[in-house]
Amino acid sequence: MCVLHLFLLLASIQGVHTKAIVKEGVLFAENYTLFSVTSPGKVIITLTSLKGDADLYAAEAPNSAAVDFYDLSSYSCGNDVIVIPHDFARPVSVAIYGHPFSEETHYRMEAEFISVKEVDGFLQSDDVTDEYSAEGSAEKDSEDSTLGVIVMILCEFLKILADILL
């Protein structure tokens, strides 16, 4: 948990704004729980099956994500992760599906909202101020982009480290 707080602290210092939501729930076999993502930016959804097997689906069309209709999916027997890019039309429909082999599935879903978008392989913040755009400082933008990439790499490393330690 300390690693997560360090990640959020580093992210907020560098202008990478994140917000995390955690939801736990129970599903019965072949049933869905639907969520709607309306926030802009990149969203990383991690689904952990605590008991049984839950699968994760997402679609750009509202209230439509399902086993037979999706744009993104993850249906492993372990942790499921999908990354909703910043350029997906909102609202994005997210479905958690209870696999038929388990009568009852307990799950924990974590949604991480990141207000940074990737443009041509570089990170770009959504909240660029007039000060930067008026000056046209390519050097400052380059430093910010490099710093953003370093922070994102460090954050991913810290997530992996947290998973290993927990």
Side-chain angles (χ1 to χ4, degrees):
M1 194 54 97
C2 180
V3 174
L4 177 62
H5 291 294
L6 177 61
F7 160 70
L8 292 175
L9 176 64
L10 285 171
S12 63
I13 289 171
Q14 301 304 327
V16 178
H17 303 285
T18 64
K19 178 175 71 170
I21 295 175
V22 177
K23 164 96 173 89
E24 292 191 3
V26 178
L27 278 172
F28 294 103
E30 299 187 80
N31 283 302
Y32 290 94
T33 297
L34 286 175
F35 298 94
S36 186
V37 176
T38 57
S39 298
K42 180 179 177 180
V43 182
I44 301 170
I45 299 177
T46 304
L47 179 66
T48 304
S49 297
L50 303 172
K51 174 186 173 191
D53 183 24
D55 298 325
L56 190 56
Y57 300 90
E60 283 189 89
N63 298 322
S64 62
V67 171
D68 55 350
F69 183 83
Y70 57 88
D71 295 308
L72 302 169
S73 66
S74 180
Y75 42 87
S76 68
C77 291
N79 287 344
D80 295 303
V81 178
I82 60 171
V83 178
I84 300 172
H86 73 278
D87 57 354
F88 257 41
R90 300 301 198 257
V92 175
S93 172
V94 176
I96 299 175
Y97 175 70
H99 196 277
F101 290 150
S102 301
E103 283 186 34
E104 186 175 272
T105 297
H106 296 253
Y107 67 87
R108 183 171 80 210
M109 179 187 73
E110 297 176 40
E112 183 180 356
F113 299 85
I114 304 171
S115 65
V116 169
K117 60 184 175 183
E118 195 170 314
V119 179
D120 295 331
F122 295 97
L123 297 176
Q124 177 181 341
S125 178
D126 287 337
D127 59 349
V128 176
T129 62
D130 288 337
E131 178 184 330
Y132 293 128
S133 57
E135 289 178 12
S137 171
E139 184 176 310
K140 179 69 175 165
D141 290 344
S142 175
E143 288 175 14
D144 287 347
S145 292
T146 304
L147 217 42
V149 170
I150 291 170
V151 168
M152 291 304 289
I153 291 170
L154 180 61
C155 293
E156 291 301 318
F157 173 75
L158 290 174
K159 283 184 198 176
I160 292 169
L161 185 62
D163 287 342
I164 291 171
L165 293 175
L166 299 177

